[in-house]
Amino acid sequence: MTDDRTPSLSSGVDPNTPSIARVYDYFLDGKDNFAADRELAEQVMKVAPNARTTARANRTFLVRATEAVVEAGIRQFVDLGTGVPTSPNVHEVAQRTIPDARVAYVDNDPIVLVHARALLAGIRSDVIAIEADLRDPKNILDHPGLRAHIDLSQPTAFLTVAMLHLLTDEDRPEKLVEAVRDRMAPGSYLILSHLWDDPDGVARAGAEEYAHRKASASVVPRTTEQIQRFFDGFELIQHGLVFLDQWRPTEGMINARADDRFGLCAVGRKL
């Protein structure tokens, strides 16, 4: 018997192994998480009390950044490592202004794909969900579904929002970004946020909890300089690489205190 916070089980979903996507869903007050995910999330918040604040700030950055590139004329979006669908999604934000904006969600987490496909089933043909491993960018970029849906010869926004810190240094996340950049048409955008390796080691302490609990992926905070390097070959638009709440904040936003800032973000344009 399940309670109102427990999603139904689907093929390939292990409720006993904490999932990064489901922990993030819990931070956002979602219901698509299991007891193991909630236990890990609560443990993370004991050593990194602002984990939930950071997750929420990250989500609002995604919305503002998507709105910004829509205003710049972007009509196509590829969301890499989309996570469990949380409204507003990329397609919901983009299609407020551009009703026929095309979006491809990419992830390799079974529960993410189950929920994404259920959300889209029988509703939209301009939004698709693709199963692919982010450590194999060529497979993503050459995926028949993506190629049929997204015209990479035209300006496209790629989102790597709270995703690259789930790749270890051995996974070479910079190679994913380089592969995407090299296939981008001029005028395309990279929307990126990343867990910051703060000087007090709070983010590292939280990351150690994910490792200790054997979560579905590692969490790797990185320094400002390391995150900046992901934007090699891009021109950063206003306001550059900043904390999540500092990127084009809207009136009425709840400004995080300085000690709440554990995520960096930026939007880069390929010339």
Side-chain angles (χ1 to χ4, degrees):
M1 185 173 182
T2 60
D3 61 26
D4 63 355
R5 292 192 63 85
T6 303
S8 59
L9 284 172
S10 302
S11 177
V13 175
D14 178 5
N16 299 312
T17 299
S19 160
I20 296 291
R22 297 193 303 261
V23 170
Y24 186 68
D25 174 73
Y26 177 73
F27 286 148
L28 296 177
D29 294 326
K31 294 183 179 180
D32 296 313
N33 48 76
F34 296 102
D37 309 307
R38 299 190 284 274
E39 290 169 8
L40 172 54
E42 291 294 338
Q43 190 62 36
V44 168
M45 286 190 287
K46 288 181 180 178
V47 297
N50 302 309
R52 174 165 274 152
T53 302
T54 300
R56 291 172 175 172
N58 184 74
R59 193 70 197 179
T60 59
F61 161 70
L62 178 150
V63 172
R64 298 195 309 280
T66 300
E67 290 172 341
V69 299
V70 167
E71 291 174 5
I74 295 298
R75 302 294 183 270
Q76 302 185 122
F77 299 81
V78 180
D79 188 358
L80 299 171
T82 180
V84 175
T86 301
S87 187
N89 301 294
V90 173
H91 73 276
E92 291 172 327
V93 177
Q95 290 175 353
R96 290 172 186 167
T97 305
I98 309 298
D100 60 349
R102 301 181 74 80
V103 179
Y105 293 113
V106 181
D107 211 296
N108 66 349
D109 188 316
I111 200 168
V112 166
L113 295 165
V114 166
H115 284 282
R117 288 167 178 162
L119 175 70
L120 304 174
I123 300 176
R124 310 212 63 94
S125 60
D126 45 21
V127 186
I128 62 172
I130 294 171
E131 181 175 5
D133 192 323
L134 301 172
R135 292 164 293 190
D136 187 357
K138 185 177 187 302
N139 182 52
I140 295 173
L141 296 165
D142 291 336
H143 191 288
L146 182 71
R147 296 292 297 275
H149 193 70
I150 301 292
D151 181 0
L152 294 179
S153 70
Q154 298 299 315
T156 303
F158 280 81
L159 294 91
T160 58
V161 175
M163 186 276 287
L164 293 178
H165 58 238
L166 305 182
L167 301 179
T168 66
D169 292 342
E170 290 73 21
D171 292 328
R172 304 191 70 185
E174 72 281 0
K175 290 299 180 183
L176 169 62
V177 178
E178 289 174 8
V180 168
R181 182 196 64 206
D182 291 347
R183 295 283 287 276
M184 280 180 164
S188 294
Y189 288 85
L190 174 67
I191 298 173
L192 183 152
S193 65
H194 197 292
L195 189 63
W196 180 52
D197 190 3
D198 62 286
D200 294 328
V202 175
R204 289 194 299 277
E208 288 170 2
E209 288 300 323
Y210 287 98
H212 178 68
R213 299 280 178 133
K214 296 181 169 47
S216 60
S218 300
V219 175
V220 184
R222 291 186 169 94
T223 65
T224 303
E225 293 72 22
Q226 288 173 317
I227 298 169
Q228 180 75 50
R229 284 199 288 272
F230 289 128
F231 287 98
D232 288 351
F234 294 93
E235 177 185 50
L236 296 187
I237 67 173
Q238 186 188 22
H239 290 98
L241 182 64
V242 293
F243 291 114
L244 292 164
D245 66 306
Q246 294 178 329
W247 197 89
R248 301 192 181 187
T250 59
E251 185 176 354
M253 281 179 58
I254 299 175
N255 292 320
R257 303 188 308 274
D259 60 352
D260 282 340
R261 292 170 174 161
F262 294 100
L264 292 175
C265 64
V267 177
R269 182 175 184 270
K270 182 177 177 180
L271 300 178

